[in-house]
Amino acid sequence: MNTPYRRDVVKMLADSCQRHDMVMGIYYSIPDWHHKNYPNQGRHHEMFGPRAGDEPNLKEYFRYMENQAEELCTKYGEIGQFFWDINVCCYNNTAFNDRLRQLQPSMVINNRGPENWDFQTSERGIPDGMEFPCRTEAVQSLGRESWGYKIDEDYYSCKHLIRSIDRVMAMGGNYQLNVGPHADGTLDPRDIASLKRVGDWYNRVKEAFGDAIPATTMITDVTPNMRDPMLLTRRGNTVYVHLPDDTETDGIVVKPFDMLPLRATLLNNGQPLETSVDMPASLHREGRKYLRVRGLPVNEITGETLIIKLEFDPALCE
């Protein structure tokens, strides 16, 4: 309210979320460079030293910060997530995290503030592994240089974003994709184009996520040099094969599966796929048969992650 705009923009956002049946989250940057009590020292995400009129006092600053956070969790209805960020001054008041939970019992808190957090946050990069060991939300921005609008921004390719979303969600994580709007609230045309393309892919393959659980531990070849890099998710007798990296050929081998599915479908376009259980010549030294999925349109679909739906006989999955 203490800006030339003279309106409570947080309330406007909260009211809009409630109208559209969305639960709002709060982002809170621990440093406030312009507050007189914040001890700017030129560290990461800080100004170089105090300015004229500053009165550096970390204890007073933390009191101010906690009052703000408590106000945010009491005045705006249901809050689903509290996202601390940029903890360069090592704020670790675990009792205050507990206080926020009292105010918002259904709210989860990330790991960039006090150490009694609910979920971890990986930023930008595509993680390694098969399954996250704890509750995780990856955060990514459409632009590489900033989380807000930037005139000379370098934009990530849709293919990179899709690969990142697929890997994080197949590992059991949540994914938050950031857009930096113009000063007037409008979105850059490049942002809109990226969101439409990513959303189009996601809407075609989303059944592989949702209540499907990570299942990559079902396969045996998960080394960095694995023949056909893949991740798996599963819902009952249905297994989803995620191919986040470009495949070398139009056929893959799913180790150690050795039974035929009732059907195999490429979610990207609904195309039926050929399956067999046999021994590829290149794997003859292993002396056993594996499930093969063939006929992937690797030359026709090149800008997105392929996801294969394998439906098995329920009796064989018990």
Side-chain angles (χ1 to χ4, degrees):
M1 297 293 287
N2 298 321
T3 70
Y5 191 49
R6 293 290 184 184
R7 298 177 68 182
D8 188 342
V9 293
V10 180
K11 186 177 187 306
M12 294 165 64
L13 177 62
D15 290 346
S16 181
C17 286
Q18 291 166 12
R19 285 196 304 271
H20 294 282
D21 195 27
M22 298 175 66
V23 177
M24 187 171 77
I26 295 291
Y27 169 94
Y28 196 97
S29 171
I30 291 176
D32 183 342
W33 311 318
H34 303 285
H35 193 277
K36 67 178 182 178
N37 293 139
Y38 184 77
N40 282 297
Q41 299 176 25
R43 296 170 294 189
H44 181 53
H45 283 86
E46 285 185 344
M47 293 184 178
F48 287 94
R51 299 152 301 170
D54 281 356
E55 301 173 6
N57 184 321
L58 197 55
K59 183 178 180 180
E60 287 298 314
Y61 177 75
F62 282 161
R63 181 179 292 112
Y64 155 82
M65 183 188 76
E66 290 177 350
N67 285 339
Q68 271 202 330
E70 188 162 329
E71 180 180 345
L72 289 166
C73 289
T74 54
K75 289 183 60 177
Y76 300 102
E78 182 183 0
I79 305 297
Q81 175 187 119
F82 198 93
F83 194 108
W84 295 109
D85 203 12
I86 318 176
N87 195 6
V88 295
C89 48
C90 301
Y91 173 71
N92 191 33
N93 186 356
T94 56
F96 187 69
N97 262 2
D98 290 336
R99 168 61 178 159
L100 295 182
R101 292 187 178 97
Q102 290 175 350
L103 298 173
Q104 294 284 345
S106 63
M107 183 174 73
V108 291
I109 303 174
N110 77 329
N111 64 333
R112 301 189 184 189
E115 61 188 15
N116 57 336
W117 45 270
D118 301 306
F119 69 99
Q120 68 176 359
T121 51
S122 59
E123 187 167 316
R124 293 196 185 271
I126 301 177
D128 295 325
M130 297 182 292
E131 183 175 349
F132 290 114
C134 62
R135 186 180 296 169
T136 299
E137 178 177 81
V139 292
Q140 171 66 286
S141 183
L142 288 177
R144 182 166 63 180
E145 302 299 331
S146 178
W147 294 85
Y149 175 70
K150 196 171 187 297
I151 294 174
D152 60 345
E153 183 62 276
D154 295 327
Y155 286 85
Y156 286 105
S157 69
C158 292
K159 184 175 183 178
H160 174 79
L161 295 173
I162 288 171
R163 287 180 60 203
S164 179
I165 292 169
D166 180 77
R167 179 169 286 276
V168 166
M169 296 189 69
M171 290 173 63
N174 189 40
Y175 199 91
Q176 183 175 197
L177 185 58
N178 175 79
V179 184
H182 295 177
D184 63 0
T186 61
L187 299 182
D188 189 280
R190 288 167 293 185
D191 288 330
I192 295 173
S194 293
L195 290 173
K196 284 184 175 179
R197 186 166 177 185
V198 171
D200 173 64
W201 167 81
Y202 183 78
N203 282 322
R204 285 182 275 120
V205 303
K206 62 184 179 182
E207 69 170 85
F209 307 112
D211 60 350
I213 61 174
T216 308
T217 53
M218 296 172 66
I219 60 179
T220 54
D221 185 2
V222 291
T223 63
N225 297 318
M226 64 187 298
R227 175 188 175 101
D228 295 309
M230 67 182 66
L231 295 169
L232 303 183
T233 54
R234 178 181 180 179
R235 182 187 297 103
N237 61 301
T238 300
V239 174
Y240 300 94
V241 181
H242 303 248
L243 304 174
D245 302 316
D246 292 333
T247 58
E248 296 179 351
T249 64
D250 61 359
I252 62 169
V253 176
V254 186
K255 294 183 179 182
F257 288 31
D258 58 2
M259 60 181 179
L260 281 174
L262 299 175
R263 65 188 62 84
T265 309
L266 184 65
L267 290 184
N268 303 65
N269 61 3
Q271 173 185 336
L273 297 172
E274 174 189 344
T275 59
S276 63
V277 174
D278 55 45
M279 185 188 302
S282 57
L283 296 178
H284 71 281
R285 290 182 181 274
E286 298 189 18
R288 59 166 295 183
K289 298 178 179 181
Y290 293 113
L291 171 63
R292 300 174 66 189
V293 182
R294 305 180 63 203
L296 293 169
V298 293
N299 294 319
E300 293 75 26
I301 302 178
T302 58
E304 60 189 49
T305 294
L306 302 181
I307 302 180
I308 302 164
K309 178 180 181 180
L310 301 176
E311 298 173 81
F312 290 93
D313 184 341
L316 298 177
C317 297
E318 294 178 353

